[in-house]
Amino acid sequence: MRGYRDGVATRLVHPDSWSNLAALAIALQDPAAARQHAMHALQLDARHVDAWVNLGVASWHAGQRREGAQATNQALQHVPGLEAAALNFALMLRVVGRLAQAHDVLAGAVHANPGAWRLHLALAGTARLLERHDVARREVLVALDRMPLAATHDSVAKARPLADNHGELVTQALVATADAFHAAGLPFHLIGGTLLALYRDGAPFPHDKDIDLGVPADVDRPAVYRALGQGFSPMLPRDDARALASREWVLGFIHDATGIGVDLMFMHLRGHVMRLGMGWPDHIDSEVPAYGVEMLRWQDRDWPVPSPPDRFLAAIYGDDWRTPQRHYDTQVSNPSRTPESLPRAITLGLIRLAEAVRAGQWSKADALCQQILAREDVAEVRRLRARLATAGVA
């Protein structure tokens, strides 16, 4: 703040100075001043691309979304491969639901600036949301080969610490969801990480951000929306095309009071197996042995769980499910993954791997490398793991 005040008081004469002052004002959450500084820079140099980007970001934060997108796009017209412009413009387009256009912006930037790994990674993420899984895989592999391992601005960023009572919040969300289902007369049972934590450890995992429930496939979906109509918010609007395409298999909600997610997986009985799927955008499916339901006593109440729980957990987590495994990724390592969805699961694992590297989460990155290589010999992953070992960060 002191440096910003000194800059404002200085008789600046260079467009770079005004553009940098705009960037500082953005960081200090003063978008109105940032707009003025950026426009001053552009008065001195109408082709100053950083000033156009700063004007775009400042305008967006000031609520002038159209002007923000136009200014950011103007920077791209001058320098088609400019990272800051492409990443911000694509994000703006995604926010307003123009995902395909965001994809095209990033694809054009990658073509103009093929060495920028952030552009490849952003394109991979956008392609995944568009279900262009071949593009997502290609682009994330390029990003993995080019991402630095040094402690850059990206890699030193740390995740927000969880609250001291996070486990209590998970329990609160679980109890609230169970009560809502009971009140509506709807069946459910514990699955996934929720079952594993309560059955093996007797308490929710301290890092859980959601709870996992299985629901019979024939349960009426509108009845689920009604049951969770108070105190819960759907992750996607009910009439959203993505929700409509996925709700045969999954529905997601947020428990409003705690912010904990509620993942409802609809279990389809098909002969001797129970099939469950992730829906949009990955369509990752699993088939576990068909099962009945028994009760698990926890916190003075009975919780329905697959019977026997051991067989279900072995199907999802492997025979060594009793041994805690740090950074275990069920999307990649789930033994019950269906063969046709495994390539998409690996692509998702590759994107998660890139994000772990970006965040400087070295042990997680190395664990993901091992899990992916156990499924498929991916040369880029082998090279990344060798770099992790050489750098001594794994």
Side-chain angles (χ1 to χ4, degrees), residues 13-24:
V13 296
H14 298 291
D16 284 350
S17 302
W18 285 106
S19 179
N20 291 337
L21 199 61
L24 192 54

Side-chain angles (χ1 to χ4, degrees), residues 12-61:
L12 302 175
V13 296
H14 298 291
D16 284 350
S17 302
W18 285 106
S19 179
N20 291 337
L21 199 61
L24 192 54
I26 292 171
L28 294 171
Q29 300 181 2
D30 189 352
R35 277 176 45 82
Q36 294 178 353
H37 302 326
M39 287 189 288
H40 201 147
L42 291 169
Q43 289 171 358
L44 298 172
D45 180 1
R47 296 179 61 86
H48 197 290
V49 291
D50 289 339
W52 279 114
V53 173
N54 289 329
L55 177 60
V57 174
S59 298
W60 184 272
H61 287 304

Side-chain angles (χ1 to χ4, degrees), residues 23-355:
L24 192 54
I26 292 171
L28 294 171
Q29 300 181 2
D30 189 352
R35 277 176 45 82
Q36 294 178 353
H37 302 326
M39 287 189 288
H40 201 147
L42 291 169
Q43 289 171 358
L44 298 172
D45 180 1
R47 296 179 61 86
H48 197 290
V49 291
D50 289 339
W52 279 114
V53 173
N54 289 329
L55 177 60
V57 174
S59 298
W60 184 272
H61 287 304
Q64 301 175 21
R65 289 188 167 186
R66 180 183 294 275
E67 293 82 353
Q70 290 174 340
T72 312
N73 186 37
Q74 186 63 43
L76 276 180
Q77 301 309 306
H78 293 307
V79 181
L82 187 64
E83 277 188 85
L87 293 172
N88 279 293
F89 188 32
L91 181 58
M92 293 172 183
L93 292 169
R94 282 181 56 172
V95 167
V96 298
R98 298 169 70 174
L99 193 59
Q101 188 176 350
H103 175 278
D104 293 343
V105 166
L106 291 167
V110 162
H111 180 74
N113 187 6
W117 63 266
R118 290 180 182 83
L119 292 176
H120 288 281
L121 184 56
L123 179 55
T126 305
R128 170 182 169 252
L129 296 178
L130 287 168
E131 302 182 66
R132 300 175 185 176
H133 300 291
D134 55 337
V135 176
R137 180 183 174 103
R138 182 189 70 216
E139 296 301 324
V140 72
L141 289 177
V142 174
L144 285 172
D145 258 349
R146 298 181 180 178
M147 296 179 76
L149 299 184
T152 62
H153 173 73
D154 289 299
S155 64
V156 298
K158 301 299 181 184
R160 181 177 299 175
L162 298 175
D164 292 337
N165 65 335
H166 185 78
E168 298 174 9
L169 297 179
V170 175
T171 299
Q172 183 180 339
L174 178 58
V175 170
T177 307
D179 288 346
F181 266 68
H182 286 312
L186 299 178
F188 73 92
H189 53 277
L190 308 183
I191 60 170
T194 303
L195 173 64
L196 178 64
L198 300 192
Y199 185 71
R200 187 187 69 191
D201 301 343
F205 291 135
H207 56 272
D208 270 348
K209 297 179 181 178
D210 53 41
I211 60 173
D212 303 309
L213 301 181
V215 182
D218 59 357
V219 165
D220 183 53
R221 305 304 188 267
V224 173
Y225 279 106
R226 289 194 297 272
L228 301 182
Q230 298 293 326
F232 298 83
S233 300
M235 291 185 181
L236 293 172
R238 185 172 176 175
D239 58 351
D240 187 287
R242 297 164 295 178
L244 293 173
S246 299
R247 70 181 191 176
E248 177 185 359
W249 297 99
V250 61
L251 282 178
F253 292 83
I254 297 292
H255 181 232
D256 297 333
T258 62
I260 300 297
V262 179
D263 291 338
L264 305 177
M265 309 298 298
F266 294 95
M267 316 298 287
H268 295 250
L269 179 61
R270 296 185 176 178
H272 299 293
V273 300
M274 198 78 79
R275 191 179 181 100
L276 61 156
M278 296 300 295
W280 174 88
D282 303 297
H283 304 284
I284 300 174
D285 300 329
S286 298
E287 287 185 344
V288 300
Y291 56 82
V293 172
E294 63 180 70
M295 292 298 172
L296 170 68
R297 191 71 177 173
W298 183 71
Q299 290 215 342
D300 297 323
R301 63 189 290 174
D302 292 323
W303 296 87
V305 300
S307 180
D310 303 61
R311 185 176 66 173
F312 180 88
L313 290 170
I316 298 294
Y317 296 100
D319 292 333
D320 57 349
W321 62 269
R322 293 177 181 83
T323 303
Q325 301 178 55
R326 193 178 183 196
H327 305 309
Y328 182 89
D329 192 304
T330 55
Q331 303 308 330
V332 175
S333 298
N334 182 346
S336 66
R337 182 72 60 235
T338 58
E340 69 274 10
S341 64
L342 181 59
R344 295 188 293 275
I346 292 175
T347 297
L348 178 56
L350 292 169
I351 291 175
R352 290 178 174 179
L353 171 59
E355 294 295 350

